[in-house]
Amino acid sequence: MKTIRLLGVWICLLLGLAIANLALRTPAPLPANAPADQFSAGRAMVDVRAIGAKPHPIGSAEIVRVRDHLMGRASGLGLDVFVRAGEGVRDAAKWSPRATAVGAVQNIVATLAGTDPQAPAVLVMSHYDTVHNSPGAADDSAGVAAALEIARALKAGPPPARDVIFLFTDGEEPGLLGAEAFFARDPLREHVGVVINMEARGDAGRAAMFQTGTDSGDLLRLYAGTAHQPTANSLAAAVYQRMPNDTDFTHALRAGLPGLNFAFIDDQLAYHTPLATPDHLNQGSLQNLGDQALPVVRALANGAALPAKAPDLIYSDVLALGLVAYPVWGGWVILGLAGALIVFTGFRALTTFGVKPLEILRGIAGFLLLATSAVLALHLAGRLIGIADQQRYYAVLGQFNVLLPGAGILLIGVCLSVLILQARGTGRMWITVIAALLGGACSLVGGFDPVGLGMAGAVIVLAWLSLGRAVGVWGAWLGALLVLLALTITTQALLPGGSVMLAWPLLAASLVAALVTAVGGTRDRRVAWLMTLVVCLVATAVVAQLGSWGAWTFAGVGLMEPAVLAVFAILAAPALIPLAFDFAAYRWSPIFAGVAAVAGAGLLIHAGIGDSGPTRPRLAEASHLADLSMGTAWRVSPQPRLDPWSKVVLSDGGAAAALKAYPPLYREPVWMAPTAVLSVERPVLTINRSGDRLLIRALPSPGAEVLTLRLRPSLALSEPRLNGRPLVLPTTAGEWSSLSYHAPDPNGVTLSFTAKAAGKVEVAVVEIHDGWPRGASAIPAKPAGLMATGYSDKTIVLDRGALSWEASVEGDGER
């Protein structure tokens, strides 16, 4: 008994995290000879290898090959296939208010006919384009291949009751262009009743259903009852709705359609990088995606009716074994039960165990101290690692398998240290000094940091409120339960879907506390053993569930703010407090907790300074810039720091690269070095006036993947139109606005505005071509520790023009 009481907290932590790790594992991929009605990653990988062989961004020559492959595969499956050409638009965003993207998209639509063609159809959506320099085996070749495998599995059975439309969108990467064209203007959209979208942000990990529409209660119930090993929770869906991130599914929601959005997000070093190859893709992730999506699509396709609108639910999977879902009022029932248990526990503690109200108040302060200490420690770790730029972000991302356990071990050490000090009533001065140092360190790295300083101040105040005198286990336990109850009530009221991650640990901890107080005071050793076992089992279950939630959340947002992991340690603490207080009685417990904190910090430091290698390469970028208006040429790299390969490439002419701005192409300084002027194709740029309309026309040169028009007018222009169609493109006097056209029409792009007053406009046309220009000196191969990003190894062509006009005089074209 003594050994269990002393080591119980560690046993529960290790066992719970081990269970969480098992729950996060992907299933074994089924082979190509699996039964015809099942999803087989082995079969789907044939398409992944064909589609994800090379990068294929919109407008590239390679995407034509991918399009032909998709149409051939869909036709071979007996689907009705055709291309829906259109023009997709991405309006200016808040973070870039004068930049718009447009694309000539070619969406592929393949329909599996149902027995009732008039019934609303099921739309299965994925995108078949990639970013430049990434073969996109996961994003989104995996989704495309999964859709084809779903079509094959459905085709192997009886005809569905309704049409199943497989939409493969073009131009998702530069701004959801294909989805915008389909849901905004394609008449086939009227036939759609529900949408299933498949995406990826990384190439490993379990697939999760992370987004739904509003009033999707019945659809969620269908998913819960049909998906194999579902992974989802309503907090992720509630938070994602408030994030700036978008997928093609965004346009389905804007069109008022219900649906489910699936993705896997682990190993994000392969997200939008050359590492995203078919061989690098975790086939278990692909299997898990299909295991969840296929049964849902089959149920929707064969149902007599699609799920009706119904109130949203609170839901979560339980270690990927099944999905628990209940209405919002059910969340209040859980809170009511937890509150009643806490009241009972408090009554027993005050009347039977002699706990004073002041001790509970100090327990509240102690739990808040634990929370702020945990957040401060990981927030500082994030500041020290530093991910202010993409290059640094991917460098740290390459050490993710060290970063996550390091953050977790640091949290364990910090939280146990605070609980030990609380149990012993010591450490005020130590925490004050340490918190002041940590808070100050946050501002020493990356500039003034009010969050770090605020957390440090809170830690100091709470340390003086809660420490200095020992707090009993009941005071600490009740204090933690009361704080968590208040947080859960607030979340339930403001963000019901988010309450699931708080309510379940709260109910578990309050139930155990009530059971222990109910039998408290007994001298029956068998009852004491039973209660210890119950505490350990519940604590293990809580750690396992929170560990599963926490690892998935950390993969999504942990690199942007590692302190998000502290939330899960805080939620686990109430279930672990009695075990932690038993451990605190051990003489050497502070040393064990300190060693854990130091070990976690060491792993984080290693993650921050870890070097790259063949399997975890870093980003590199070097391109050729031909400025035709100036008659100059440059080797450029917009990366913050030059690696040895980039230095060699940029010093082609013998000149060292220097940081300089080059507007309107580069408004912030980039690395540039002069190079030989080579012959490149020239776009045709004309600027003129017709009445009160300013006309800017560009004809792309052959092979241009992207054509961008940037303009700086001397006055605000109005009524923008693109090829005669109204467009949202704000302009401001003296500021540059930008229109990027992907897969530009060889017949040209015409941008027009109304400009009645006299003025002037400067225009730049920029083209992106694949590869280095003919005649370029040999480019050395990249070492194994580097991978291309952005427009690396491409040719950028820049030309300029300008036009001045009087209020009542039409001007002529001028380059």
Side-chain angles (χ1 to χ4, degrees):
M1 171 72 81
K2 182 178 180 180
T3 301
I4 294 179
R5 292 175 67 88
L6 291 179
L7 299 180
V9 66
W10 293 101
I11 294 172
C12 293
L13 283 170
L14 294 176
L15 184 57
L17 293 175
I19 294 172
N21 185 61
L22 289 175
L24 291 168
R25 293 178 64 182
T26 58
L30 293 184
N33 60 356
D37 62 340
Q38 295 184 21
F39 185 97
S40 162
R43 286 189 287 253
M45 279 303 299
V46 175
D47 287 308
V48 171
R49 293 188 178 95
I51 300 166
K54 295 179 181 179
H56 44 280
I58 177 177
S60 66
E62 188 64 19
I63 202 170
V64 177
R65 179 195 64 81
V66 172
R67 190 178 302 125
D68 289 344
H69 172 82
L70 287 178
M71 296 187 70
R73 282 282 289 117
S75 295
L77 290 171
L79 307 181
D80 184 16
V81 188
F82 49 93
V83 174
R84 311 284 285 199
E87 194 172 67
V89 180
R90 185 208 68 201
D91 290 335
K94 291 181 180 179
W95 56 89
S96 186
R98 294 186 304 279
T100 298
V102 181
V105 298
Q106 298 191 55
N107 293 332
I108 300 173
V109 172
T111 303
L112 173 60
T115 56
D116 181 4
Q118 302 304 316
V122 179
L123 182 73
V124 180
M125 182 165 57
S126 52
H127 70 88
Y128 71 98
D129 67 307
T130 68
V131 297
H132 298 269
N133 275 306
S134 177
D139 181 21
D140 193 24
S141 298
V144 172
L148 291 171
E149 174 64 3
I150 289 172
R152 184 213 55 77
L154 294 177
K155 189 71 176 178
R162 65 189 68 249
D163 291 350
V164 181
I165 302 172
F166 295 89
L167 172 63
F168 305 102
T169 62
D170 189 10
E172 188 271 353
E173 296 295 359
L176 320 179
L177 304 180
E180 193 276 339
F182 181 85
F183 289 106
R185 287 173 293 282
D186 195 316
L188 186 61
R189 169 257 175 272
E190 300 299 329
H191 186 39
V192 176
V194 65
V195 179
I196 303 297
N197 188 57
M198 292 180 289
E199 260 284 5
R201 188 185 170 200
D203 69 351
R206 291 190 61 83
M209 193 286 292
F210 67 96
Q211 187 183 18
T212 65
T214 56
D215 296 326
S216 295
D218 281 355
L219 179 59
L220 199 283
R221 290 187 180 93
L222 183 144
Y223 166 70
T226 59
H228 180 60
Q229 293 187 336
T231 300
N233 70 72
S234 51
L235 175 62
V239 170
Y240 192 85
Q241 287 180 351
R242 291 158 175 79
M243 293 177 66
N245 308 60
D246 287 315
T247 67
D248 280 345
F249 190 64
T250 300
H251 285 291
L253 294 180
R254 290 175 182 172
L257 290 167
L260 304 174
N261 203 1
F262 294 87
F264 46 87
I265 64 172
D266 279 357
D267 200 358
Q268 293 180 33
L269 192 63
Y271 177 56
H272 288 180
T273 70
L275 204 62
T277 63
D279 289 339
H280 199 270
L281 175 66
N282 184 325
Q283 294 188 33
S285 301
L286 177 58
Q287 183 67 49
N288 186 231
L289 176 64
D291 284 346
Q292 294 188 62
L294 172 59
V296 173
V297 173
R298 180 177 280 138
L300 291 169
N302 293 326
L306 293 177
K309 286 189 175 183
D312 292 327
L313 302 177
I314 299 172
Y315 58 89
S316 176
D317 68 281
V318 180
L319 299 173
L321 299 175
L323 197 79
V324 175
Y326 48 88
V328 172
W329 60 260
W332 290 112
V333 171
I334 292 175
L335 280 175
L337 178 58
L341 293 170
I342 293 171
V343 169
F344 172 78
T345 301
F347 175 78
R348 289 279 294 172
L350 291 169
T351 58
T352 304
F353 303 115
V355 178
K356 304 297 183 183
L358 181 61
E359 188 174 2
I360 298 175
L361 291 175
R362 293 176 63 233
I364 291 173
F367 186 70
L368 294 174
L369 172 65
L370 179 148
T372 52
S373 299
V375 170
L376 176 61
L378 279 189
H379 179 70
L380 174 60
R383 300 278 291 183
L384 292 173
I385 291 172
I387 51 172
D389 57 73
Q390 187 187 46
Q391 196 175 33
R392 182 64 185 153
Y393 178 88
Y394 273 90
V396 177
L397 193 55
Q399 304 297 321
F400 184 83
N401 291 336
V402 177
L403 187 67
L404 176 57
I409 294 171
L410 174 62
L411 275 180
I412 291 172
V414 169
C415 292
L416 280 179
S417 296
V418 172
L419 289 173
I420 290 168
L421 294 178
Q422 195 177 3
R424 297 185 176 192
T426 59
R428 275 180 172 176
M429 288 304 303
W430 279 108
I431 286 189
T432 298
V433 172
I434 293 172
L437 292 174
L438 295 183
C442 288
S443 290
L444 292 176
V445 183
F448 177 70
D449 179 27
V451 174
L453 291 174
M455 285 292 105
V459 168
I460 293 171
V461 171
L462 290 168
W464 285 87
L465 289 175
S466 61
L467 303 180
R469 183 177 179 182
V471 176
V473 63
W474 289 110
W477 207 355
L478 279 167
L481 290 172
L482 288 171
V483 172
L484 187 52
L485 176 63
L487 290 174
T488 309
I489 291 172
T490 302
T491 305
Q492 177 74 25
L494 300 178
L495 192 70
S499 67
V500 64
M501 285 190 181
L502 291 80
W504 291 12
L506 172 66
L507 181 61
S510 58
L511 178 61
V512 170
L515 285 174
V516 172
T517 53
V519 298
T522 180
R523 297 185 179 182
D524 190 325
R525 292 178 59 85
R526 291 174 298 179
V527 174
W529 266 100
L530 179 60
M531 286 298 98
T532 300
L533 180 61
V534 169
V535 171
C536 289
L537 289 176
V538 172
T540 300
V542 168
V543 171
Q545 185 66 65
L546 286 169
S548 175
W549 284 337
W552 195 87
T553 304
F554 194 78
V557 298
L559 257 70
M560 292 177 281
E561 180 49 85
V564 70
L565 196 64
V567 173
F568 298 92
I570 294 165
L571 297 178
L576 291 164
I577 280 178
L579 299 173
F581 267 63
D582 286 341
F583 175 68
Y586 180 48
R587 179 181 179 184
W588 302 107
S589 60
I591 294 178
F592 280 92
V595 168
V598 171
L603 287 174
L604 290 173
I605 292 172
H606 175 75
I609 63 176
D611 200 5
S612 60
T615 61
R616 319 297 292 179
R618 300 196 180 199
L619 300 181
E621 185 172 358
S623 309
H624 179 94
L625 168 60
D627 189 339
L628 303 182
S629 61
M630 299 293 183
T632 58
W634 306 83
R635 296 277 177 91
V636 299
S637 176
Q639 294 298 314
R641 294 162 297 280
L642 290 180
D643 56 87
W645 175 84
S646 298
K647 289 180 180 178
V648 171
V649 174
L650 263 62
S651 62
D652 174 57
L659 282 170
K660 60 180 295 185
Y662 205 79
L665 187 58
Y666 300 113
R667 302 178 192 179
E668 300 297 329
V670 299
W671 294 101
M672 302 186 69
T675 189
V677 177
L678 302 172
S679 176
V680 296
E681 295 281 354
R682 185 173 206 146
V684 178
L685 173 65
T686 58
I687 314 167
N688 53 42
R689 290 246 295 166
S690 176
D692 290 334
R693 296 294 290 178
L694 171 66
L695 305 176
I696 303 170
R697 182 169 173 78
L699 271 69
S701 60
E705 296 180 348
V706 186
L707 183 147
T708 298
L709 287 172
R710 296 188 175 177
L711 62 147
R712 181 167 64 177
S714 61
L715 72 168
L717 305 175
S718 62
E719 298 180 295
R721 290 179 178 271
L722 176 65
N723 298 332
R725 198 180 83 187
L727 177 77
V728 178
L729 180 59
T731 58
T732 301
E735 300 290 340
W736 289 97
S737 295
S738 175
L739 168 75
S740 294
Y741 203 111
H742 299 262
D745 189 326
N747 294 319
V749 175
T750 301
L751 187 60
S752 65
F753 302 87
T754 295
K756 296 181 180 180
K760 177 183 178 180
V761 65
E762 300 171 68
V763 180
V765 58
V766 183
E767 287 188 337
I768 306 297
H769 291 260
D770 193 29
W772 296 87
R774 287 191 299 270
S777 58
I779 305 298
K782 293 180 186 65
L786 293 178
M787 57 183 176
T789 187
Y791 289 144
S792 188
D793 305 287
K794 293 183 180 288
T795 299
I796 305 170
V797 179
L798 169 65
D799 202 2
R800 311 171 203 249
L803 180 71
S804 300
W805 64 89
E806 298 297 331
S808 59
V809 178
E810 294 186 9
D812 295 325
E814 180 183 334
R815 184 183 303 167

